[in-house]
């Protein structure tokens, strides 16, 4: 009797999970995504790049929510807008920036969206020395705000260049 109950519970669990798992065909749920949402999301990386290239710290952090998390390569996660601000201030103190970061894909689901893109950047040390050039890819999760705007809540990127010494 006990084994029948165990089998029944297991089969019920599998059927429940299977009925909730997306098949990969079509959207998981109907979403009211407007062209304006996608356009606004596509504009955020350009706004970020313009601010970074101008050394505009307020403009850089304006694309993030107060509780955003950035996960830069080779560094601990930056938790919260003020942590992001401090980290960016340190890079602005040491370098001038030239960033190009177009999105290649945007997917929206309700009040969340993700963007996947590529970047090229040159950071020139203010103290002199060779510019640091990098290119890579990034992934950002955006959230629609109560005022209808979109902001980044999670952000990570990594280089396509091999690590030094390879």
């Amino acid at each position: 009797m006990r084994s029948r109950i165990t089998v029944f519970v297991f089969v019920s669990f599998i059927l429940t999970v299977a009925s909730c798992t997306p098949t990969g065909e079509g959207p998981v749920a109907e979403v009211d995504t407007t062209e304006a949402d996608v356009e606004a999301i596509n504009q955020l990386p350009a706004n970020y790049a313009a601010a970074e290239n101008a050394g505009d710290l307020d403009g850089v952090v304006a694309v993030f929510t107060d509780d955003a998390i950035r996960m830069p390569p080779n560094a601990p996660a930056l938790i919260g807008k003020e942590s992001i601000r401090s980290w960016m201030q340190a890079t602005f103190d040491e370098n001038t920036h030239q960033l190009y970061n177009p999105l290649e894909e945007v997917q929206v689901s309700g009040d969340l969206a993700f963007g996947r893109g590529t970047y090229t950047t040159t950071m020139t040390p203010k103290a002199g020395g060779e510019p640091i050039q990098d290119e890579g890819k990034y992934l950002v999760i955006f959230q629609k705000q109560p005022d209808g705007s979109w902001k980044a809540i999670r952000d990570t990127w990594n280089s396509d260049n091999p690590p030094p010494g390879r």
Side-chain angles (χ1 to χ4, degrees), residues 45-46 48-50 52-53 70 97-102 118-122 134:
Y48 178 92
E52 184 170 318
N53 294 342
R70 289 193 91 183
H97 297 241
Q98 189 59 44
L99 173 67
Y100 177 67
N101 60 342
T118 58
Y119 70 86
T120 58
T121 187
T122 301
D134 191 19

Side-chain angles (χ1 to χ4, degrees), residues 18-29 107:
S19 69
C20 296
T21 303
T23 62
E25 297 177 16
V28 174
Q107 295 287 326

Side-chain angles (χ1 to χ4, degrees), residues 88-143:
M88 287 303 301
Q89 181 65 62
T91 67
F92 283 167
D93 288 348
E94 297 174 5
N95 304 288
T96 59
H97 297 241
Q98 189 59 44
L99 173 67
Y100 177 67
N101 60 342
L103 279 171
E104 296 178 357
E105 177 184 13
V106 172
Q107 295 287 326
V108 180
S109 180
D111 68 347
L112 292 175
F114 78 82
R116 178 185 60 83
T118 58
Y119 70 86
T120 58
T121 187
T122 301
M123 294 190 310
T124 304
K126 290 181 178 179
E130 291 297 312
I132 302 161
Q133 297 183 338
D134 191 19
E135 60 184 52
K137 61 265 182 211
Y138 68 94
L139 188 66
V140 181
I141 301 172
F142 301 100
Q143 185 175 47

Side-chain angles (χ1 to χ4, degrees), residues 48 51-53 55-61 64 70 72 78 81-95 97 99 123 126 155 157:
Y48 178 92
E52 184 170 318
N53 294 342
D56 175 8
L57 186 59
D58 290 335
V60 166
V61 298
F64 296 98
R70 289 193 91 183
L78 308 170
K81 189 183 265 189
E82 289 312 309
S83 180
I84 295 167
R85 177 183 294 279
S86 294
W87 190 79
M88 287 303 301
Q89 181 65 62
T91 67
F92 283 167
D93 288 348
E94 297 174 5
N95 304 288
H97 297 241
L99 173 67
M123 294 190 310
K126 290 181 178 179
D155 177 31
W157 68 98

